[in-house]
Amino acid sequence: MNQKPFVLDLNDERAFQRLLDDKTQSCGMKAGRVYLNPGDSCGQHSTNQREELLVFLAGSGRALIEGSDAFDVSVGKIVYIPPRTLHNVENTGSEPLIYVYCVAPAGQ
């Protein structure tokens, strides 16, 4: 493995930004910044064999996580999503909902 420390600036674009690649920049972790306009969602998907952490930077919305009540999310909130869990994030506010996700292989 040839992973090296690095620093990356968040850009000002109103779009998805990949932050960390699991094949060339890490030992299995992926990360990105998500930008959802009002009324948009990231789409329901599963963590499969990974666990995920969401860190909310702007806006407000709901995290819909299988087996749980919906969580209200906003600036300064984090959400943990266990392996093999269906989930979705919706922007229910009037401003963009911006968050960073970090996904890593779950331990045995």
Side-chain angles (χ1 to χ4, degrees):
M1 299 201 185
N2 194 22
Q3 290 73 23
K4 297 177 181 175
F6 67 93
V7 173
L8 176 73
D9 292 324
L10 292 176
N11 64 37
D12 292 331
E13 294 179 25
R14 294 179 168 223
F16 172 79
Q17 180 184 4
R18 181 164 312 282
L19 302 176
L20 187 62
D21 180 300
D22 66 333
K23 294 179 176 51
T24 60
Q25 297 173 307
S26 77
C27 298
M29 185 184 309
K30 289 195 245 183
R33 192 224 21 232
V34 178
Y35 185 103
L36 296 176
N37 286 310
D40 285 352
S41 76
C42 68
Q44 186 178 48
H45 58 285
S46 175
T47 51
N48 296 318
Q49 300 300 319
R50 297 172 176 262
E51 56 187 346
E52 184 168 3
L53 181 73
L54 310 178
V55 180
F56 291 87
L57 306 175
S60 62
R62 291 187 316 161
L64 307 164
I65 302 172
E66 178 182 37
S68 298
D69 291 333
F71 296 98
D72 290 329
V73 294
S74 59
V75 177
K77 301 280 187 189
I78 66 164
V79 173
Y80 170 76
I81 304 165
R84 294 172 294 285
T85 303
L86 287 173
H87 61 285
N88 192 3
V89 176
E90 300 176 337
N91 182 343
T92 59
S94 59
E95 300 292 325
L97 178 61
I98 303 169
Y99 64 94
V100 170
Y101 72 85
C102 184
V103 182
Q108 298 295 340

